[in-house]
Amino acid sequence: APKKGEHIIDSPFGQLSYPEMPIHEYVWETLQSYSHMIATECGVTGRKYTYAQARDYSSYIARSLLDMGLKPGDVLAIILPNLPESPIAFLGCLEAGIVITSVNPIYTVDEISKQLISSGAKAVITSTEIAETVKSAVKQSMPGAKLIVVDDQVNSMTSDAIPFEDLIKKGKTLPVPSSRDFAFDNVAVLPYSSGTTGLPKGVMLSHRNIVANLKMMADTLKDDILVPSNGVFQQIIPVILPMYHIYGMVTVMLSKMTTGGKLITLPKFTPESYVRVLERNPVTELMLVPPIVLFLTSSKLVKKHFLDHVTYITSGAAPLSDTDVERFYEKFSIARDKLKFRQGYGMTESSPVSLYEKTGTKYSSIGRPICGCQARLVDPITKKDVTTPRQTGELWIRGPHVMKGYLNNQKATEETLQDGWLLTGDIAYFDEDSDFFITDRLKELIKVKGFQVAPAELEALIRTHPNVEEAGVVGIPDDRSGEVPMAFVVLKEKGATKTEEIQDFVKGKVSEFKELRGGVRFVDSLPKNPSGKILRKKLKALLE
Ligand code: AYL
């Protein structure tokens, strides 16, 4: 019930109910009807697994992990590009009761090390391709951790790594572990997000959070989810969004597996490999971030007939404009009721989806709260609820999909969760139909191609340059990536360092998408509030 002064906007999609079962059981629940169908297939090598195989192998993985001495509640880092084995590793860990921290596979040694230390990972699953980088990170931060390698091509690993395949083989011979107490509110997944401010933090998502979000989406879309019957129809979905990120993990991988979809995995997005997948497979749905929508529209390689079987394109993780969608339809001249464009809004902290534009007609809107989700708009200054259309406020979210909190960070948790409400740090309004629109970001987060970059992380790095006094990092608009990071820097000795030197200093120490592609500007001082916090809005205003 709303408290005094609260103006709660409920979901128009009915009452939510969800089963209290572990994520993997929820995913396998309807397995019988499509056990013989392909669950995952590599878009490059063609290596594939049926649902029955995926289910069995993940169970063998679970048994082997426990046999190796890992215990329920231990943290394991999955550092994998999108491979057909990725869901097997993921669901295997969950079946063993092991908490997964998902790490970006393009991370540098230092970036990986930070997450391994912060999460307290005791083991790592990675792939041959990036094994050397991961090994260095393990050596540097978690010397005792077990290293498991999904052997993509040939087994080039030295003796200290355990081949994933061996775990599958061995697990088959091991007894099924006696059923242990399962707590629905135990942490299941620990992805990293920088939240409203500061460095990346572990987001504690429970089985409840994720099962609830899967069911919230299923109930919201129930009249248009296509479930296979007699093996005739199968959804075919290219998986290009990385599965380490909550979008690829929950909304693509887990969600599509609950309805027997075929996931065509691509280890990394390249225009050529993506186009090849679209050309060779009758794909039924595309789940994208805005820069990839722009790619489809602008690339000459993408032909209209590649989209013949596509009924929905979903975009999320960053703003999408009406023009972006209009241009798409202009290029392909597809009937708008044949292929629908829908926008989702979500956050790692809400497992992720919270609002969804289901009709596919209001392209720039994020729609309405999905089944089981409530929303409010709260004025960040007066703290009063917005009650009328077209007035902006901070978007607050409540529901069973909202995280338990940030790992080992009570302060950040208290700032972000208040009375069960998740303070998103996004500014929004609703129109006369109660459809929501995001207009701005209150938080400092930068979104490059839909992926998070924490200014605090780059600022800390830039400050380690010998001639840097302080630094403030902001995101500036970019045609291709949405935003790119740019730094305002105060030098100790003016004139002694060039802007390119700062850019080069950052290069190589962080993943490519975090590089200062927006440039560097030297300033005499940074605008700050009385308590010393950098005022990023004022920095941005310097650019206008
Ligand atoms: P994180 N429009 C504008 N900004 C958005 C949108 C959107 N549709 N969706 C997400 N954001 C921004 O944790 C917003 O600032 O999760 C939000 O606070 O990496 C931040 O991204 C969260 O970033 C889906 C499935 C969206 C997944 C997601 C994205 C989860 C991104 C919709 O259906």
Side-chain angles (χ1 to χ4, degrees):
K3 295 185 180 165
K4 198 163 169 278
E6 288 184 358
H7 184 81
I8 297 177
I9 294 112
D10 285 307
S11 170
F13 302 112
Q15 209 60 36
L16 174 72
S17 73
Y18 56 89
E20 302 210 340
M21 54 166 65
I23 297 165
H24 58 282
E25 283 179 20
Y26 183 75
V27 168
W28 301 129
E29 211 188 1
T30 47
L31 179 85
Q32 300 89 299
S33 48
Y34 42 79
S35 57
H36 61 288
M37 291 158 78
I38 302 298
T40 59
E41 179 176 317
C42 177
V44 179
T45 65
R47 202 165 66 250
K48 58 190 165 198
Y49 300 91
T50 65
Y51 270 92
Q53 285 173 322
R55 204 262 160 279
D56 287 346
Y57 295 174
S58 69
S59 180
Y60 303 155
I61 290 294
R63 294 177 214 173
S64 276
L65 292 174
L66 294 172
D67 181 64
M68 282 166 65
L70 291 165
K71 305 240 165 347
D74 283 349
V75 176
L76 178 149
I78 295 188
I79 319 180
L80 288 176
N82 290 352
L83 298 175
E85 291 82 6
S86 301
I88 296 173
F90 189 91
L91 293 159
C93 289
L94 292 180
E95 189 165 332
I98 288 165
V99 178
I100 298 160
T101 192
S102 51
V103 184
N104 188 338
I106 69 166
Y107 266 3
T108 62
V109 172
D110 282 347
E111 288 169 330
I112 295 172
S113 294
K114 278 185 199 151
Q115 192 169 333
L116 292 179
I117 293 169
S118 162
S119 64
K122 295 212 168 106
V124 176
I125 300 182
T126 189
S127 74
T128 311
E129 219 191 337
I130 52 172
E132 285 311 315
T133 305
V134 172
K135 237 178 172 178
S136 306
V138 168
K139 211 163 158 191
Q140 166 175 328
S141 56
M142 291 269 147
K146 296 189 166 67
L147 187 64
I148 298 156
V149 179
V150 178
D151 211 355
D152 206 1
Q153 293 118 35
V154 280
N155 187 357
S156 61
M157 295 305 301
T158 47
S159 55
D160 52 343
I162 308 158
F164 187 72
E165 278 200 359
D166 288 5
L167 293 189
I168 294 178
K169 278 193 204 119
K170 173 121 196 263
K172 193 173 180 179
T173 67
L174 295 168
V176 179
S178 58
S179 71
R180 60 200 161 73
D181 289 338
F182 167 79
F184 198 48
D185 288 305
N186 278 353
V187 180
V189 196
L190 196 61
Y192 272 63
S193 164
S194 58
T196 314
T197 177
L199 298 173
K201 296 170 272 291
V203 178
M204 296 190 287
L205 297 177
S206 64
H207 289 270
R208 177 189 305 280
N209 292 154
I210 290 175
V211 169
N213 200 240
L214 290 168
K215 188 67 169 21
M216 290 163 79
M217 274 307 273
D219 283 0
T220 299
L221 300 176
K222 61 170 172 272
D223 31 357
D224 54 33
I225 276 192
L226 304 162
V227 186
S229 60
N230 312 322
V232 175
F233 175 80
Q234 187 179 26
Q235 285 177 290
I236 301 177
I237 300 109
V239 191
I240 44 165
L241 302 182
M243 296 193 240
Y244 84 86
H245 183 257
I246 199 76
Y247 190 173
M249 180 198 298
V250 177
T251 316
V252 184
M253 170 179 73
L254 295 178
S255 167
K256 293 304 159 188
M257 289 182 84
T258 63
T259 52
K262 177 175 174 180
L263 307 178
I264 303 182
T265 54
L266 275 180
K268 69 168 181 251
F269 178 88
T270 64
E272 296 74 24
S273 61
Y274 184 47
V275 166
R276 207 174 322 120
V277 166
L278 295 179
E279 190 172 8
R280 292 188 184 168
N281 299 278
V283 300
T284 58
E285 185 174 355
L286 304 177
M287 310 185 77
L288 308 175
V289 291
I292 300 181
V293 174
L294 302 187
F295 165 77
L296 292 176
T297 304
S298 63
S299 170
K300 289 196 176 62
L301 300 172
V302 183
K303 304 284 192 291
K304 183 183 178 200
H305 71 268
F306 296 176
L307 305 175
D308 279 352
H309 302 270
V310 178
T311 46
Y312 293 111
I313 293 184
T314 302
S315 173
L320 183 76
S321 72
D322 285 332
T323 324
D324 296 337
V325 181
E326 293 296 345
R327 289 204 177 124
F328 174 90
Y329 280 121
E330 266 164 42
K331 169 177 172 181
F332 293 106
S333 58
I334 298 173
R336 292 175 194 227
D337 58 347
K338 203 177 151 273
L339 190 168
K340 285 193 175 159
F341 240 98
R342 307 197 285 200
Q343 194 171 172
Y345 165 87
M347 264 172 94
T348 307
E349 287 82 345
S350 60
S351 308
V353 193
S354 289
L355 284 91
Y356 206 75
E357 205 294 301
K358 188 185 166 182
T359 68
T361 53
K362 258 188 200 177
Y363 308 134
S364 60
S365 169
I366 56 165
R368 305 182 65 179
I370 63 171
C371 180
C373 179
Q374 295 180 311
R376 280 164 71 192
L377 292 179
V378 180
D379 186 302
I381 293 158
T382 65
K383 304 286 171 208
K384 287 214 167 74
D385 279 38
V386 168
T387 55
T388 46
R390 300 197 184 270
Q391 279 202 299
T392 58
E394 185 185 8
L395 177 59
W396 290 22
I397 295 296
R398 190 163 70 180
H401 60 318
V402 170
M403 67 166 177
K404 292 172 67 136
Y406 293 114
L407 180 72
N408 301 327
N409 197 333
Q410 204 178 337
K411 185 168 172 281
T413 303
E414 280 167 9
E415 281 165 6
T416 311
L417 296 180
Q418 288 175 23
D419 234 357
W421 290 96
L422 170 67
L423 281 59
T424 67
D426 291 307
I427 300 291
Y429 70 86
F430 52 83
D431 68 8
E432 291 70 17
D433 306 322
S434 304
D435 284 318
F436 282 73
F437 294 80
I438 300 284
T439 58
D440 199 3
R441 213 177 285 141
L442 200 60
K443 54 189 169 190
E444 42 188 57
L445 179 70
I446 301 170
K447 277 279 172 124
V448 180
K449 296 185 180 154
F451 299 106
Q452 293 199 7
V453 176
E457 186 184 341
L458 288 174
E459 287 162 4
L461 173 61
I462 297 167
R463 281 199 305 270
T464 65
H465 184 284
N467 193 30
V468 169
E469 180 79 41
E470 25 175 28
V473 172
V474 298
I476 60 167
D478 179 83
D479 281 349
R480 291 184 63 186
S481 302
E483 288 181 301
V484 288
M486 119 153 233
F488 289 86
V489 175
V490 181
L491 291 178
K492 286 178 180 157
E493 191 192 328
K494 269 198 218 167
T497 305
K498 293 199 188 80
T499 55
E500 299 79 39
E501 290 174 50
I502 303 290
Q503 282 176 297
D504 287 345
F505 181 76
V506 166
K507 215 179 244 173
K509 297 191 179 67
V510 293
S511 317
E512 205 182 319
F513 73 104
K514 297 183 189 171
E515 286 173 9
L516 297 172
R517 277 204 289 125
V520 172
R521 185 192 283 198
F522 294 131
V523 287
D524 291 333
S525 65
L526 297 177
K528 289 185 192 148
N529 75 2
S531 61
K533 196 172 154 13
I534 299 169
L535 296 170
R536 293 188 173 74
K537 285 254 159 283
K538 287 214 167 149
L539 282 177
K540 278 195 183 181
L542 292 177
L543 298 168
E544 280 156 13

